[in-house]
Amino acid sequence: MAEVEGSCHCGAVHFTAAYAPTDINDCQCDHCQKRGVLWAYYTPKDVTVTGAGSSYVWGHEHTRFHFCTVCGCTTHWTAVDPKRDRMAINARLLPREAVAGASVRKSPGPR
Ligand SMILES: [Zn+2]
């Protein structure tokens, strides 16, 4: 499968994923709804992120949410525990054609 590339609105944070997502999660938790994100999940070895952003950790502290400090777009999340082999990119920052074939589900998110 072909790589896909995305970036925040201003372009300061850029990422490349090894393949286009086939499944996207429209997480229904309050936090993700306020951010307006759609998550595409990967293992960290399949994603390269460049550029300077900041991050935010809250609640259960399992997940670090990254965002661009210039334009504010949420770009991705990473696991706080480096042994956890999972991360997600914000599929809203991918080209529309890269996500056109993906199914979208609505998970309730963490409680
Ligand atoms: Zn930006």
Side-chain angles (χ1 to χ4, degrees), residues 8-13 68-73:
C8 63
H9 188 256
C10 77
V13 181
C68 175
T69 54
V70 180
C71 70
C73 288

Side-chain angles (χ1 to χ4, degrees), residues 7 17-20 35 41 43 48 51 55 58 60-61 66 80 83 85 91 93 95 98 101 105 107-108:
S7 69
Y19 50 88
R35 286 184 175 265
Y41 298 97
T43 61
T48 303
S55 65
W58 68 284
H60 52 63
E61 299 187 349
H66 298 262
V80 171
K83 294 191 294 289
D85 191 32
L93 306 186
R105 62 190 161 91
S107 83

Side-chain angles (χ1 to χ4, degrees), residues 60-98:
H60 52 63
E61 299 187 349
H62 294 164
T63 307
R64 180 175 298 281
F65 295 88
H66 298 262
F67 55 91
C68 175
T69 54
V70 180
C71 70
C73 288
T74 299
T75 52
H76 63 294
W77 65 252
T78 54
V80 171
D81 180 352
K83 294 191 294 289
R84 189 176 166 213
D85 191 32
R86 191 162 167 89
M87 68 173 292
I89 58 175
N90 182 2
R92 289 198 188 277
L93 306 186
L94 292 170
R96 287 171 196 256
E97 59 271 20

